[in-house]
Amino acid sequence: MTRIQIPRGTQDIMPGTVELWHYVEAKARELCRRFNYQEIRTPLFESTELFQRGVGETTDIVEKEMYSVANPRSTDALTLRPEGTAGVVRSYVENKLYGSPNQPTKLYYLGPMFRHERPQAGRYRQFVQFGAEAIGSSDPAIDAEVIGLAIRLYQELGLTGLSVELNSVGTLEDRARHREHLLAHLNGVRTQLCEDCQSRIDRNPLRVLDCKNEKCKSLTQDAPSILDYLSEESAAHFEAVKGYLTALDIPFHVNPRLVRGLDYYTLTAFEIKMAEIGAVETLCGGGRYNGLVAELGGDDMPGIGFALSIERLLLALEKQGVQLPVSGGIDCFVVVQTSEAKKAAFVLVDQLRQAGIAAELDYLDRKMKAQLKQADRLSARFTAIIGESELANGTVVLKEMATGEQQEIKRESLVSELNAKLHHTNQN
């Protein structure tokens, strides 16, 4: 019979590795607590129209990468979420979060996203994103706060050599002024551009600057910069963002070609990069989306956010040799010397677990020596041995695995004795 294998572009996260995920996720949640961002959980699938309107019909995500299915009970198609912002903004509007007295609304999410793209290092078809959104403020200081939240996560996990690339893509009015001059340049090299870029010229010419094709990059190297067409207000906003980042000692590089791949961005756009992570060097991306709330049926509220891949973050940590302080193992393995002691050991393990102590016992009827080897494989800090005499006396032999020291104690005292030893060991 043919063995069923995991779908291409997905991964099993196994014991021994999943603990790294737990650590990173806990760090992200704790950091959001300090920044006063609250968690929101949206559905794994949404109306396809949400992403068509929110992300943009001319984006690669909508055109090529979404997993969509027809809804058998309506004419509305459904799509596994390819990114988090559109769903968060939909929820913000639908649940009237703009009416809360705690403004701006500051949210974060952590969960799987789905894109049908070519798998490569750090990139999967099912991947986990951590993202943050601040909705309701146009203050450039909150742009810097959002960028700071992302960069602080990387820094606190131990990554170094990071760079922030920064740009302003302006407002719709700024882009309209820029468009005429950009089109003149692009039409001059249209036939030499890749097929995708030729299509983008008529629909969304700014996105031609986002093309990863080296020939297209060269042909558009001297294209007019959006920064030269910003209004006075947009330029002032951009200068203020740079000023706040400088105040936070967050180094940045202005990249006029940085436009990001989603249609909802306005004004501030940014990416956080680290050199050479497999085929991908961008760790994080984000920016302002001041028209998105209105596009999805709400009032015209400004917003800014970012998203980052947990897979790519872990790959970056591995590349830099960062060892996360993840501890494994259990606190106590209860060793049984006779079959008669099994039930007493079983009850004892349950008592330890109820007291918050990680405990295990043998379920394969192994000899005592094999049980001690299993305790060692599980990195048990202590073993509690119950033999014939211990069963009769109501005692256990408690052994500290690191030192070999052991003592016989009353069975009812094991929980308190073990808690005291674990507390003492943790303090040291």
Side-chain angles (χ1 to χ4, degrees), residues 213-361:
N213 182 297
E214 291 300 325
K215 184 178 180 182
C216 293
K217 285 183 181 180
S218 177
L219 290 168
T220 59
Q221 184 176 358
D222 297 323
S225 169
I226 181 67
L227 295 178
D228 294 330
Y229 297 88
L230 297 180
S231 68
E232 186 176 331
E233 184 179 0
S234 298
H237 184 278
F238 191 45
E239 288 302 314
V241 173
K242 292 190 287 183
Y244 282 115
L245 290 176
T246 300
L248 294 178
D249 290 325
I250 297 177
F252 59 88
H253 166 69
V254 175
N255 177 4
R257 297 182 62 90
L258 177 62
V259 298
R260 304 287 300 141
L262 308 179
D263 283 357
Y264 51 59
Y265 285 116
T266 59
L267 296 174
T268 306
F270 70 92
E271 291 181 348
I272 299 174
K273 294 191 173 186
M274 190 190 87
E276 298 303 323
I277 306 173
V280 181
E281 65 172 7
T282 302
L283 292 179
C284 169
R288 274 207 167 269
Y289 45 85
N290 287 357
L292 183 58
V293 177
E295 175 64 32
L296 298 182
D299 293 336
D300 190 11
M301 303 289 285
I304 183 169
F306 72 82
L308 61 88
S309 159
I310 300 296
E311 290 87 348
R312 213 171 289 179
L313 190 162
L314 289 169
L315 183 57
L317 292 169
E318 182 182 342
K319 284 278 187 179
Q320 291 197 355
V322 177
Q323 298 292 320
L324 297 179
V326 174
S327 59
I330 61 172
D331 298 319
C332 184
F333 191 100
V334 179
V335 177
V336 181
Q337 285 186 298
T338 66
S339 58
E340 291 78 14
K342 181 66 175 287
K343 185 173 290 186
F346 185 72
V347 172
L348 188 57
V349 165
D350 184 62
Q351 291 172 347
L352 292 171
R353 289 168 175 169
Q354 289 188 65
I357 297 170
E360 184 61 284
L361 79 160

Side-chain angles (χ1 to χ4, degrees), residues 77-126:
L78 299 173
T79 293
L80 289 173
R81 61 186 189 190
E83 59 94 53
T85 299
V88 170
V89 173
R90 187 270 311 151
S91 181
Y92 170 86
V93 173
E94 188 170 346
N95 292 286
K96 300 180 174 62
L97 296 184
Y98 48 80
S100 166
N102 299 319
Q103 295 299 326
T105 302
K106 297 165 69 172
L107 305 167
Y108 78 91
Y109 58 86
L110 183 59
M113 308 291 163
F114 307 86
R115 294 185 191 177
H116 190 279
E117 55 184 346
R118 184 171 64 86
Q120 54 186 293
R123 179 172 289 177
Y124 296 88
R125 290 177 174 173
Q126 176 181 318

